[in-house]
Amino acid sequence: MEYTSLIIQCEVTMCGIFGTVLKQGKAVELITDGLKRLEYRGYDSIGVAMIDNGELHLRKDMGKLEEVIENLNINEMNGLVGMGHTRWATHGAPNMINAHPHLDGSGQIALVHNGVIENFMELKDELIEKDHNFVSRTDTEVIPHLIQEEMKADVGLKDAILRVLRRLKGSYAIVVVTSLEPDKIYCARHESPLVLGVSGEGTYCASDVPAMLPYTNKVNYLRNGELAVLDVDGYQIMKISDGSYVERGLEEITWSLEMAEKQGYQHYMLKEITEQPTSLRDGLRLQEQYIDLITQFLDRGKEVLLTAAGTSYHSCLAASYIFSKIARLTTYPVVSSEFIERYGSTVGIDSIVLTVSQSGETYDTLKAIDHARMKAATVLGITNTVGSTLTRVSRAYIVQQSGPEIGVAATKTFTSQVLVFAQLAMRLAKMRGKLSQDELDEFDENLHRVPDMVEEALARNDDRIKELAEKLKDDKLFLFLGRGISAATALEGRLKVLEITYVPSLAYPAGESKHGPISIVEDGVACIFICPRGDTHSHIIGSIMEMKARGAKIISICEEGDNDIIRLSDEVIEMPIGIPETLSPIPYIVPLQLLSYRLAVMKGLDPDMPRNLAKSVTVP
Ligand code: F6R
């Protein structure tokens, strides 16, 4: 079985980068300070490369930022040109070798990277053929080697970098520092953030504005497909595609430093809700072999149990519908605190336990899988945190690529978990021949449209949700209802409202409401219905009518122009057209995340730190 080698494969997505060219002073102090402000982006290892007297110097190691800076005496490095990187690995154990910067074969070109190079295996094979030696397991290391290779064709550094960038598939923000051109920094981006800044003292580049805000508030956001050359007097930007120069003025940032850390958002929760189009795009870049490996295990198991807590459990619940509908696989979702009581005596060598935990450290979840492992079950993981206990104890795992989530309420990690499950279901359907090629193509196409759908849902509903929150801010009870997979969306929407607004709320599969919950419905009680188009659409209309007949205030989330739903509803949140029901939890949860956020803020509560809750529950 090749899974161990796959697990140690290393990639990086969420990382922090800071580079500077200064007129005078100690560039390294700005770099380490900048990295501290970017620590929220990554924190498993750090590295710095400086040009001192025309020579390249590099120090890097795994560990906490402050510790590595102190242990390696990084702040004693000299030079006016340099860059640093704080890394958050998304696969494999973080270690010194995998830490950035990475060097070319001659040791003259240092490069840091934030992103994922999807075609690195083929590029690496090509370079190995040409006698390049690699020391790390990263995708990044191929880039400096490619630059070295291109320079053999007697082109200058800039052209060599342009040629290399044109060959990369995937996402990147890169910064290059080299003794070949000791007064300059080259940097480029494609789908990973990079911002340039200038002051009277020098020029800067960083993953995010806060890193450079103490030195300048005049910035230029590099756009996809652009390369910039920085020197002490400023920068030049050019298009990677044809090398033509781009003129774009500086923008002035008016945020305070504290606001800048949240990229201008008032709270992390809002920032994290808003960045879902990006986290979902990253979640579609999982490497094929990880998906294949987990799918093979799922295919072989006699039974598949899905276990998790809180929001992660809701993603398991959604997954049970997706696996059933797409791959004809029966799975059993169970909250991890109930796992042992419910399945502890039956779980065994033929069981697959697919475990989901954003943090990878939730006590109940780890307890459940400890038990499963003792009974010789195969434990697989989906997590957002490399190096977490879940990654260490799982036979194989997938990192969902959401990036750090700081707000206590899970938002972007939920949508990415469902997206990972959808990819697994699609692969399993293919493996088992459960969908025709046309059906597979259609599902895949829809999957790839999901980030755009979320983007559209966010853009069109922002004002609408504020208006709705204003109307609902004094309500004392909410009832969330959905049929089929939307029952999972309803539960997750309820959890968001409950945990950050403290308003008592219930969520039920809509069909179940007449077996009890309907008794609490009276005039004006807010019933929130999740109504995507699909198999459950006609049933949900019946449920809405039941509640309407009892005086409920009907708030529906439905497709734009869905008049069957709209004419029954008091309030409507309209969603983009064409989202298949099996993928609907991803876009349909977004307005509910936003609604809970707006309600909490209107009530004067801090949505990032709800009372009595912790981001990671590591106690029994
Ligand atoms: C809800 C929330 C919690 C977590 C739960 C599991 O917004 O954040 O319910 O989902 O504590 O955490 P992980 O996924 O880290 O195991």
Side-chain angles (χ1 to χ4, degrees), residues 283-284 286 291 418-428 447:
L284 284 169
L286 305 177
I291 304 263
V418 178
L419 191 78
V420 171
F421 274 126
Q423 291 173 82
L424 289 171
M426 187 173 80
R427 188 58 53 91
L428 189 61
L447 255 181

Side-chain angles (χ1 to χ4, degrees), residues 398-535:
I398 288 183
V399 181
Q400 57 182 84
Q401 320 268 7
S402 314
E405 191 175 63
I406 294 166
V408 162
T411 52
K412 61 175 180 168
T413 52
F414 172 75
T415 47
S416 295
Q417 286 164 357
V418 178
L419 191 78
V420 171
F421 274 126
Q423 291 173 82
L424 289 171
M426 187 173 80
R427 188 58 53 91
L428 189 61
K430 187 173 179 189
M431 196 180 279
R432 291 183 163 188
K434 298 294 182 191
L435 292 183
S436 67
Q437 193 55 48
D438 282 354
E439 288 168 322
L440 282 169
D441 290 346
E442 192 186 332
F443 191 76
D444 193 35
E445 207 175 290
N446 282 326
L447 255 181
H448 282 83
R449 283 171 55 226
V450 162
D452 293 344
M453 294 282 189
V454 168
E455 197 156 4
E456 198 183 326
L458 278 164
R460 72 158 62 180
N461 284 315
D462 199 25
D463 290 341
R464 175 77 194 99
I465 301 273
K466 279 186 202 146
E467 201 182 291
L468 187 58
E470 191 60 52
K471 291 185 185 166
L472 297 177
K473 68 175 188 305
D474 297 319
D475 279 38
K476 301 279 178 279
L477 170 70
F478 294 107
L479 182 53
F480 290 81
L481 297 165
R483 285 246 175 185
I485 197 167
S486 299
T489 316
L491 278 163
E492 176 56 10
R494 187 274 306 261
L495 181 59
K496 292 291 87 84
V497 167
L498 191 74
E499 69 182 329
I500 65 168
T501 72
Y502 319 144
V503 177
S505 315
L506 296 176
Y508 272 89
E512 186 67 7
S513 61
K514 58 184 175 295
H515 299 286
I518 200 164
S519 66
I520 63 163
V521 176
E522 54 185 9
D523 253 4
V525 167
C527 285
I528 301 179
F529 282 90
I530 293 106
C531 328
R533 282 204 193 269
D535 296 346

